[in-house]
Amino acid sequence: TRETVREINETFGTQLNPNSITRITRDLAPVIGEWEKKPLPADLRYLYLDALYVPVKRQDTFEKSALLVAIGVDEGMKRHFLGYLVGSCESSETWGALVQSLLDRGLKADTLRLVISDAHDGIREAVKDLLKTPHQLCVVHKMRNARARVAHANQKAFTRDFKRVFWADSRSQALVALGHLKATWEKVHPKAVETVERDLDEYLHFFNEEPKYWMITRSSNLVERFVEEVRRRLKPARGMQNEFELEKLLYAVATAQQERWNRLKVHTSRKEDKSQAA
């Protein structure tokens, strides 16, 4: 609000203050209400879920609230902001409420190919109970967790072997590469190898998709980049005065991001995918 009022006053010679901007943007309430209820695209193929915690003022103190967000990708690889929920925490109940709201607005569980997220228990339970869709866990998170269990001097070589598994040209080649990783590192860094192998199938679902989709389904980077943009916009405020202020900010970020996605030229080449892995 401070930046907005400064720009308006400099441009038009007005003498508005930040409170004026707050009063004006209250008129967004019905607009946001309609935006929240908008029907979802019928051809959504992938669903991405992630969350961040935001200090929100409740009565006289700021309390951390969980902002849960959902993003989808359709058959043509177009990105869509789907919805959000503000809750007291991340749990199977709050994630279930968000997923159910998406189903109510037109998400079709029977045509959804994958749900992509980190390994949060609340997300896993909600997906299992409400969607029964294969759940692709984020390979990048697994890589970070495994690498943290490797001595610094070996991290580069270990990461190279890790990428040979999850950036292989097929599932069968990935399993061969996993055998090489185990043979090389199991005696030196057994906990790192254990981390790589844990829930392995949930990290390999993307191999069942067409190769052009592997880049966007291997990790939850798509939704995490959106969350980082929300966090960047929240940083100057440090905390939100109420839940509606948070909703206004999310509406601004999401609609601006959607415009960028609408202009995005989709690239699906395996060459680009491998360059990202490097």
Side-chain angles (χ1 to χ4, degrees):
T1 54
R2 289 191 297 271
E3 281 296 309
T4 301
V5 78
R6 182 181 64 80
E7 293 286 347
I8 291 175
N9 288 339
E10 288 182 359
T11 303
F12 299 105
T14 53
Q15 294 184 348
L16 298 172
N17 60 48
N19 289 334
S20 304
I21 300 300
T22 299
R23 288 194 298 271
I24 292 169
T25 56
R26 284 181 188 144
D27 292 339
L28 281 171
V31 176
I32 294 175
E34 288 300 314
W35 173 69
E36 291 172 343
K37 298 173 185 176
K38 185 172 66 174
L40 301 183
D43 61 342
L44 289 173
R45 186 181 180 105
Y46 304 117
L47 173 65
Y48 298 76
L49 302 172
D50 198 12
L52 71 157
Y53 280 83
V54 182
V56 178
K57 192 172 185 180
R58 303 186 187 281
Q59 296 182 344
D60 296 326
T61 61
F62 284 92
E63 298 177 5
K64 286 288 185 71
S65 294
L67 175 59
L68 284 55
V69 299
I71 288 172
V73 173
D74 63 24
E75 291 284 349
M77 295 187 69
K78 181 179 176 182
R79 283 77 160 160
H80 303 269
F81 181 84
L82 302 181
Y84 71 96
L85 183 143
V86 180
S88 59
C89 64
E90 284 190 84
S91 65
S92 58
E93 289 78 15
T94 53
W95 278 113
L98 176 58
V99 170
Q100 186 60 57
S101 72
L102 300 177
L103 291 169
D104 293 342
R105 289 168 52 214
L107 179 67
K108 294 180 174 59
D110 55 345
T111 59
L112 198 64
R113 296 283 303 175
L114 288 176
V115 178
I116 299 105
S117 75
D118 61 23
H120 191 280
D121 288 341
I123 301 179
R124 297 173 84 167
E125 290 179 28
V127 170
K128 180 181 177 181
D129 293 343
L130 294 173
L131 296 176
K132 298 177 175 60
T133 301
H135 194 173
Q136 169 69 40
L137 300 183
C138 180
V139 167
V140 174
H141 281 81
K142 180 179 277 290
M143 181 169 66
R144 292 170 185 160
N145 291 338
R147 189 166 54 191
R149 291 161 172 78
V150 175
H152 181 74
N154 294 332
Q155 284 184 357
K156 187 174 181 179
F158 179 89
T159 301
R160 183 170 58 248
D161 287 342
F162 180 97
K163 289 180 177 179
R164 285 174 178 156
V165 177
F166 295 96
W167 274 264
D169 288 330
S170 67
R171 182 187 176 96
S172 60
Q173 289 186 24
L175 296 178
V176 171
L178 177 63
H180 171 78
L181 183 145
K182 287 183 64 176
T184 305
W185 300 107
E186 193 163 32
K187 291 183 179 179
V188 184
H189 297 297
K191 291 188 179 298
V193 174
E194 180 185 341
T195 299
V196 174
E197 292 189 297
R198 187 180 304 127
D199 300 323
L200 183 65
D201 285 342
E202 292 184 272
Y203 291 84
L204 298 178
H205 285 305
F206 71 90
F207 278 121
N208 297 326
E209 303 302 297
E210 296 176 51
K212 68 179 182 179
Y213 294 112
W214 292 359
M215 180 180 68
I216 62 169
T217 57
R218 185 184 282 109
S219 76
S220 57
N221 284 353
L222 178 60
V223 66
E224 288 186 11
R225 286 196 294 268
F226 177 84
V227 166
E228 281 305 311
E229 178 61 15
V230 175
R231 188 176 281 113
R232 184 183 71 82
R233 295 285 294 274
L234 284 166
K235 190 174 181 180
R238 298 188 181 180
M240 306 306 291
Q241 291 299 313
N242 53 61
E243 195 169 303
F244 181 54
E245 295 299 318
L246 175 58
E247 291 174 348
K248 288 193 294 184
L249 184 142
L250 183 64
Y251 170 77
V253 174
T255 52
Q257 181 61 66
Q258 189 64 60
E259 290 179 4
R260 289 191 288 271
W261 282 334
N262 291 345
R263 298 192 299 266
L264 181 66
K265 182 178 180 181
V266 176
H267 298 284
T268 61
S269 72
R270 296 282 287 131
K271 182 178 180 181
E272 179 185 354
D273 190 13
K274 289 191 173 183
S275 70
Q276 287 200 358

